[in-house]
Amino acid sequence: MCCVSSDNHCKLEPKANTKVICKRCKVMLGETVSSETTKFYMTEIIIQSSERSFPIIPRSQFVQSVITQCLVQLSSARSTFRFRIQGQDDKVYILLWLLNSDSLVIESLRNSKYIKKFPLLEDTLKADSSSAWSAIKVLYQPCIKSRNERLVSLWESDISVHPLTLPSATCLELLLILSRSNANLPSSLCHMNSFQMDFPSVSQARGQ
């Protein structure tokens, strides 16, 4: 994680639409909108009091939690349930449909083979043999490598579909998280019509 503070941990690239880049890890944190306004991406920073201890949160868990909360808030405030996940260059990476926001996922019989198969989820899978956590239920379509171009065009022209802009690297990261999680679902839950299904977590596993 990178702190946004006065000791110059962030630098600005001299471009027309100036990007805010972390000097330490070179990650794009946001961009300057005007001389008085800087936009930060919610998936790239955590803002909290310096007096509090800083928790170590696995990256995949953090991305899922932040984006899940954002989808729930947007669907509640704007009554929209379909989203285009796109990069800062407006390239669409994922079409996502929120089905419900109050699912409870219970997983048992955890096996170490999943940790080897999905190293990105290692921190989550180290929990006890049976656990439960809050999640949302979504359908999604990958749109990389010219996939689903016709559907993307339809969703782009539909005013009920809300765009959600993230750094391009984070869009790919989210797609990887969704794909790996989907592959771990029972076959009866993997697909609905032409969409793939997933249950991104809202919070950490909370007990046996």
Side-chain angles (χ1 to χ4, degrees), residues 9-207:
H9 287 336
C10 301
K11 65 178 181 179
L12 300 181
E13 288 188 346
K15 293 183 179 180
N17 293 322
T18 308
K19 298 178 181 179
V20 180
I21 306 294
C22 175
K23 182 180 290 186
R24 291 177 177 172
C25 61
K26 311 303 181 185
V27 169
M28 179 179 174
L29 303 179
E31 57 186 307
T32 56
V33 179
S34 69
S35 59
E36 299 179 350
T37 306
T38 301
K39 177 178 70 176
F40 289 99
Y41 290 109
M42 59 190 175
T43 56
E44 309 309 314
I45 63 173
I46 295 178
I47 300 176
Q48 68 176 35
S49 172
S50 59
E51 298 176 355
R52 297 173 56 187
S53 59
F54 196 86
I56 303 300
I57 304 174
R59 171 67 180 170
S60 60
Q61 179 182 317
F62 175 69
V63 170
Q64 285 187 75
S65 177
V66 170
I67 294 180
T68 295
Q69 292 175 45
C70 179
L71 294 177
V72 171
Q73 291 171 4
L74 286 172
S75 65
S76 176
R78 305 192 180 191
S79 296
T80 182
F81 303 94
R82 292 185 295 164
F83 302 88
R84 299 193 313 269
I85 310 299
Q86 60 189 36
Q88 68 272 13
D89 56 357
D90 294 331
K91 178 182 177 182
V92 178
Y93 287 81
I94 309 169
L95 299 177
L96 192 146
W97 198 327
L98 176 63
L99 294 186
N100 69 55
S101 57
D102 57 357
S103 296
L104 181 65
V105 177
I106 301 176
E107 187 172 5
S108 60
L109 300 176
R110 291 172 181 260
N111 194 309
S112 60
K113 70 179 182 181
Y114 294 124
I115 296 179
K116 296 178 181 178
K117 190 174 182 180
F118 307 125
L120 187 65
L121 307 178
E122 179 175 356
D123 297 281
T124 305
L125 292 171
K126 286 181 179 178
D128 294 329
S129 60
S130 180
S131 57
W133 62 89
S134 299
I136 63 173
K137 184 178 181 180
V138 300
L139 301 177
Y140 73 96
Q141 283 279 20
C143 302
I144 59 174
K145 297 182 179 179
S146 301
R147 293 177 62 181
N148 298 303
E149 287 183 313
R150 182 174 178 275
L151 188 58
V152 169
S153 179
L154 290 173
W155 281 41
E156 285 180 329
S157 61
D158 191 333
I159 60 173
S160 67
V161 178
H162 185 77
L164 185 59
T165 302
L166 303 169
S168 298
T170 303
C171 293
L172 291 172
E173 186 177 3
L174 176 61
L175 181 57
L176 178 62
I177 292 172
L178 291 170
S179 299
R180 285 180 163 174
S181 181
N182 174 267
N184 205 22
L185 289 174
S187 57
S188 60
L189 294 177
C190 285
H191 298 86
M192 180 179 289
N193 296 330
S194 61
F195 283 78
Q196 294 173 271
M197 188 181 298
D198 198 18
F199 295 84
S201 62
V202 178
S203 58
Q204 287 181 276
R206 60 169 188 249

